[in-house]
Amino acid sequence: GGYSDTVTVGTPYGQYGFATPSYSQPNQTLSTTHIEDVDAHDDDDDDDMDGTTQHSRHVVKLQGHKKFIKLKMPDLVIKRLQSQCIELVLMNCDLSFANTLRRICIADVPTMAFDFVDIIENSSVLDDEFIAHRLGLIPLISNDVSYFKYARDCECEDGCVFCMVEFTCDIVNNGNEAIVVTQRDLINVTGDVPIDDNQPHDYVQQLMRCKNVQPFHEEPILSKQTIVIDGDHDDEDDEAVGGGGGGVGVSKTTNEDIILVDHEDEDDEAVGGGGGVSKTTNEDIILVKLGPQQRLKLRARATKGIGKEHAKFSPVSAVGFVQQPNVVLNSEKCAQLSSAQKKEFVACCPTNVYQYDDKKDEIVVDVEDMAKCTYCNECYSKVEQLNANIDPYEMISITTHANHFTFNIETTGALRPEMVVKSALEVFRRKLKVLKDHLKQIKTD
């Protein structure tokens, strides 16, 4: 039997497109797009979206009334950048701006994901619908997603290289032990189309982009127990090391004769079998386990989409932000505590926000330490225990900076973290452009 996991699309989100503006490197500042006066020019299009002044006054006319709005230029600083996560600081903007950026990262940044699955043969213990659902949630590397069209916007009849990428999977277990089918067993067949000299250059380039769409897999993390062998070794030694059981996987670099042994649990033992199945690691995504003489054969199509259509298109797994804490101590109230009480007060904080200065016999708070505050209110409770005559809310003032936000974005692997941020900012700019055009239309009416 066959099964098609097709998403019903109701709103044409694809008309806004995709682009990648410039961004800042770690510890550098990025000034986001600036909006000029919406009433100053009626015939300008994109030129008025790029401003140079830091602060400006804007006049918006709605229903015969004028309202003066003073806007600031938001700043973006990247603090930490890793393969699948990014930490950045957003300043000079209000809460609505930060929350909009968060929602765009989740629901409006396009990626590639499996949208159609045809199960040709499935003799495993899982139903076709279950396997199709698991396939849809596999992240696909979508670095070239801007060059693909939405399937609803493409002029082709049944899919082409400009709107979809096709994969196949055909695994048969000819052994006596169960084998595992993972995302590594999905084969991209769109990029294997023979290239003719008479084909257009754009078509050939698009074939190469289709070939770059592959299931994402994390690099294996080696354990602390690593064996390094430097010297000559023969094939028999290699087989002795690689053929052992007990959940031991071996990775070897041939150029320097180094063997790295990663110890895993027995439950995570790498298994092999017939049908060309790949060995599994902790980083692999398991689709199904096949018993002896079982087979899974399917073909799947990956298309472009956004998180509003289906969660499988979302490029992020978690996006959150917190406002910058601001901790202020009343020196007069702190002076009422003894040295021992001050040290006990400093030790009560679980994130070490407070520090004790032995020379001055004072409790100090650095700006960097303020960011560690988790609003647990443990310090308030400690003051009440140490001295009942001191009001903890007069001694300690914990507030938040209204225009300072720390973002933490974790991706699924479909897009690099910096690409998610750049794409979200560009989508945000396009949405503001649409809003501006509507305001102009209201003004002319």
Side-chain angles (χ1 to χ4, degrees):
Y3 176 73
S4 302
D5 181 19
T6 306
V7 175
T8 303
V9 180
T11 307
Y13 302 106
Q15 59 183 336
Y16 301 122
F18 174 88
T20 54
S22 60
Y23 66 99
S24 65
Q25 295 294 336
N27 297 326
Q28 293 184 353
T29 302
L30 168 69
S31 295
T32 55
T33 306
H34 182 69
I35 305 176
E36 287 293 327
D37 190 349
V38 297
D39 294 325
H41 308 284
D42 291 337
D43 299 329
D44 55 353
D45 188 9
D46 287 334
D47 296 337
D48 56 351
M49 296 297 292
D50 299 325
T52 57
T53 59
Q54 181 69 15
H55 303 283
S56 60
R57 298 180 67 186
H58 302 267
V59 181
V60 180
K61 294 181 180 179
L62 294 176
Q63 298 179 356
H65 299 279
K66 291 185 178 180
K67 184 177 182 180
F68 292 87
I69 304 176
K70 187 175 182 180
L71 300 180
K72 295 182 179 180
M73 183 78 74
D75 294 329
L76 187 65
V77 178
I78 298 177
K79 304 297 291 185
R80 179 173 56 91
L81 179 60
Q82 296 179 353
S83 60
Q84 283 186 256
C85 64
I86 184 173
E87 180 180 353
L88 51 90
V89 177
L90 189 62
M91 298 170 288
N92 297 330
C93 65
D94 57 7
L95 181 61
S96 62
F97 186 97
N99 191 52
T100 301
L101 182 62
R102 180 189 68 87
R103 292 173 63 89
I104 290 177
C105 290
I106 297 174
D108 285 296
V109 175
T111 61
M112 304 290 291
F114 288 115
D115 196 36
F116 175 85
V117 180
D118 184 13
I119 307 292
I120 301 174
E121 182 177 347
N122 176 26
S123 57
S124 68
V125 297
L126 297 183
D127 295 334
D128 294 353
E129 293 84 358
F130 203 101
I131 295 178
H133 181 265
R134 296 176 71 91
L135 280 171
L137 298 180
I138 293 177
L140 301 177
I141 299 176
S142 308
N143 296 331
D144 298 324
V145 67
S146 59
Y147 296 96
F148 287 86
K149 299 179 181 179
Y150 290 93
R152 55 182 173 272
D153 298 333
C154 190
E155 299 177 355
C156 64
E157 295 182 358
D158 191 25
C160 63
V161 296
F162 292 96
C163 66
M164 70 95 181
V165 181
E166 187 170 357
F167 290 78
T168 61
C169 179
D170 188 3
I171 302 297
V172 182
N173 185 4
N174 295 323
N176 297 325
E177 300 291 336
I179 62 175
V180 178
V181 181
T182 68
Q183 85 279 15
R184 297 176 184 266
D185 300 310
L186 297 172
I187 308 300
N188 186 336
V189 296
T190 303
D192 297 337
V193 177
I195 300 177
D196 190 0
D197 295 337
N198 297 327
Q199 293 176 342
H201 181 66
D202 294 342
Y203 182 82
V204 176
Q205 283 187 328
Q206 189 64 22
L207 281 178
M208 299 302 296
R209 298 187 187 107
C210 291
K211 190 175 182 180
N212 293 333
V213 179
Q214 298 291 340
F216 174 77
H217 61 274
E218 299 182 28
E219 296 296 332
I221 301 176
L222 296 177
S223 65
K224 295 182 180 179
Q225 298 180 357
T226 304
I227 301 176
V228 180
I229 300 177
D230 188 5
D232 296 332
H233 51 278
D234 51 17
D235 296 336
E236 294 180 358
D237 295 337
D238 293 343
E239 293 177 358
V241 175
V248 179
V250 179
S251 175
K252 180 179 66 174
T253 57
T254 56
N255 54 349
E256 297 180 357
D257 292 332
I258 298 177
I259 297 179
L260 302 178
V261 179
D262 184 18
H263 296 273
E264 301 173 353
D265 297 333
E266 293 184 358
D267 294 339
D268 299 327
E269 181 177 357
V271 292
V277 123
S278 60
K279 292 185 177 180
T280 62
T281 64
N282 291 334
E283 291 76 23
D284 287 336
I285 303 174
I286 299 177
L287 292 177
V288 65
K289 291 184 179 181
L290 297 180
Q293 307 305 320
Q294 290 184 350
R295 181 182 184 183
L296 176 63
K297 183 178 181 181
L298 58 87
R299 66 183 183 92
R301 290 185 178 182
T303 59
K304 180 179 178 180
I306 59 177
K308 283 183 179 179
E309 302 172 5
H310 197 283
K312 62 188 176 185
F313 291 109
S314 180
V316 296
S317 57
V319 182
F321 65 87
V322 294
Q323 291 179 285
Q324 175 74 20
N326 184 28
V327 182
V328 179
L329 294 176
N330 189 327
S331 58
E332 296 180 358
K333 298 293 183 180
C334 292
Q336 299 180 17
L337 299 176
S338 63
S339 299
Q341 289 177 337
K342 291 178 182 179
K343 293 180 180 180
E344 188 176 355
F345 171 80
V346 170
C348 77
C349 181
T351 56
N352 298 324
V353 173
Y354 306 101
Q355 303 295 332
Y356 178 72
D357 190 348
D358 294 329
K359 295 181 179 179
K360 298 181 181 181
D361 190 25
E362 294 180 352
I363 302 174
V364 295
V365 181
D366 293 334
V367 177
E368 295 182 357
D369 294 334
M370 290 183 187
K372 302 177 183 178
C373 182
T374 59
Y375 309 101
C376 64
N377 295 332
E378 185 67 24
C379 52
Y380 290 114
S381 301
K382 195 63 177 179
V383 172
E384 293 179 348
Q385 296 176 6
L386 296 175
N387 193 335
N389 297 326
I390 301 177
D391 186 355
Y393 294 96
E394 292 182 359
M395 175 179 168
I396 309 169
S397 175
I398 301 179
T399 58
T400 58
H401 291 281
N403 301 323
H404 194 288
F405 306 92
T406 301
F407 269 81
N408 283 279
I409 301 175
E410 297 180 5
T411 66
T412 61
L415 291 176
R416 297 192 301 271
E418 65 271 20
M419 291 187 63
V420 174
V421 177
K422 291 191 300 181
S423 302
L425 290 175
E426 175 60 20
V427 172
F428 198 179
R429 188 193 70 86
R430 292 178 180 273
K431 288 178 178 292
L432 292 176
K433 178 65 170 57
V434 173
L435 176 61
K436 174 187 167 184
D437 294 340
H438 283 287
L439 293 175
K440 284 185 178 180
Q441 185 66 29
I442 293 175
K443 182 183 65 174
T444 55
D445 294 342

